Coordinates of all heavy atoms in Angstrom, one line a residue:
K169 N 100.3 83.4 103.0 CA 98.9 83.5 102.6 C 98.0 84.3 103.5 O 96.8 84.4 103.2 CB 98.3 82.0 102.5 CG 99.0 81.2 101.4 CD 98.3 79.8 101.4 CE 99.0 79.0 100.2 NZ 98.4 77.6 100.2
R170 N 98.6 84.8 104.5 CA 97.8 85.7 105.5 C 98.7 86.7 106.1 O 99.9 86.5 106.4 CB 97.2 84.8 106.5 CG 96.3 85.5 107.5 CD 95.5 84.5 108.4 NE 94.5 83.8 107.5 CZ 93.7 82.9 108.0 NH1 93.8 82.5 109.3 NH2 92.8 82.3 107.2
G171 N 98.1 87.9 106.3 CA 98.8 89.0 106.9 C 98.0 89.6 108.0 O 96.8 89.4 108.1
A172 N 98.7 90.3 109.0 CA 98.0 91.0 110.1 C 98.7 92.2 110.5 O 99.9 92.3 110.2 CB 97.8 90.0 111.2
Y173 N 98.0 93.1 111.2 CA 98.7 94.3 111.7 C 98.0 94.7 113.0 O 96.8 94.3 113.3 CB 98.7 95.4 110.7 CG 97.3 95.9 110.3 CD1 96.6 96.8 111.0 CD2 96.7 95.4 109.1 CE1 95.3 97.2 110.6 CE2 95.4 95.8 108.7 CZ 94.8 96.7 109.5 OH 93.5 97.1 109.1
A180 N 93.5 95.5 116.1 CA 94.2 94.6 115.2 C 93.3 94.0 114.1 O 92.1 94.1 114.3 CB 94.8 93.4 116.0
A181 N 93.9 93.6 113.1 CA 93.1 93.0 111.9 C 94.0 92.0 111.2 O 95.2 92.1 111.2 CB 92.6 94.1 111.0
W182 N 93.3 91.1 110.5 CA 94.1 90.2 109.6 C 93.3 90.1 108.3 O 92.2 90.4 108.1 CB 94.2 88.8 110.3 CG 92.9 88.1 110.5 CD1 92.0 88.2 111.6 CD2 92.2 87.2 109.6 NE1 90.9 87.4 111.4 CE2 91.0 86.8 110.2 CE3 92.6 86.7 108.3 CZ2 90.2 85.9 109.5 CZ3 91.7 85.8 107.7 CH2 90.5 85.4 108.3
F183 N 94.0 89.6 107.3 CA 93.5 89.4 105.9 C 94.2 88.3 105.2 O 95.3 88.0 105.5 CB 93.6 90.8 105.2 CG 95.0 91.3 105.1 CD1 95.9 90.9 104.1 CD2 95.5 92.2 106.1 CE1 97.2 91.3 104.1 CE2 96.8 92.6 106.1 CZ 97.6 92.2 105.1
D184 N 93.5 87.8 104.2 CA 94.1 86.7 103.4 C 94.8 87.4 102.2 O 94.4 88.4 101.7 CB 93.0 85.8 102.8 CG 92.4 84.9 103.9 OD1 93.2 84.4 104.8 OD2 91.2 84.7 103.9
G194 N 92.3 89.9 100.6 CA 90.8 89.8 100.8 C 90.3 90.7 101.8 O 91.0 91.7 102.2
P195 N 89.1 90.5 102.3 CA 88.5 91.4 103.2 C 89.3 91.5 104.5 O 89.9 90.5 105.0 CB 87.1 90.8 103.5 CG 86.8 89.9 102.3 CD 88.2 89.4 101.8
V196 N 89.3 92.6 105.1 CA 90.0 92.8 106.4 C 89.1 92.5 107.5 O 88.0 93.0 107.7 CB 90.5 94.3 106.5 CG1 91.2 94.5 107.9 CG2 91.5 94.6 105.4
H197 N 89.6 91.6 108.4 CA 88.8 91.1 109.6 C 89.3 91.8 110.8 O 90.5 91.6 111.2 CB 88.9 89.6 109.7 CG 88.5 88.9 108.5 ND1 87.2 88.6 108.2 CD2 89.2 88.4 107.4 CE1 87.1 87.9 107.0 NE2 88.3 87.8 106.5
R198 N 88.5 92.6 111.5 CA 88.9 93.3 112.7 C 88.9 92.4 113.9 O 88.0 91.5 114.0 CB 87.9 94.5 112.9 CG 87.7 95.4 111.7 CD 89.0 96.1 111.3 NE 88.8 96.9 110.1 CZ 89.7 97.6 109.5 NH1 90.9 97.6 109.9 NH2 89.4 98.3 108.3
L199 N 89.8 92.6 114.8 CA 90.0 91.9 116.0 C 89.9 92.8 117.2 O 90.1 94.0 117.1 CB 91.3 91.1 116.0 CG 91.5 90.1 114.9 CD1 92.9 89.5 115.0 CD2 90.5 89.0 115.0

Side-chain angles (χ1 to χ4, degrees):
K169 295 183 178 180
R170 182 167 294 178
Y173 62 84
W182 65 271
F183 53 88
D184 291 321
V196 177
H197 305 276
R198 310 293 176 184
L199 299 175

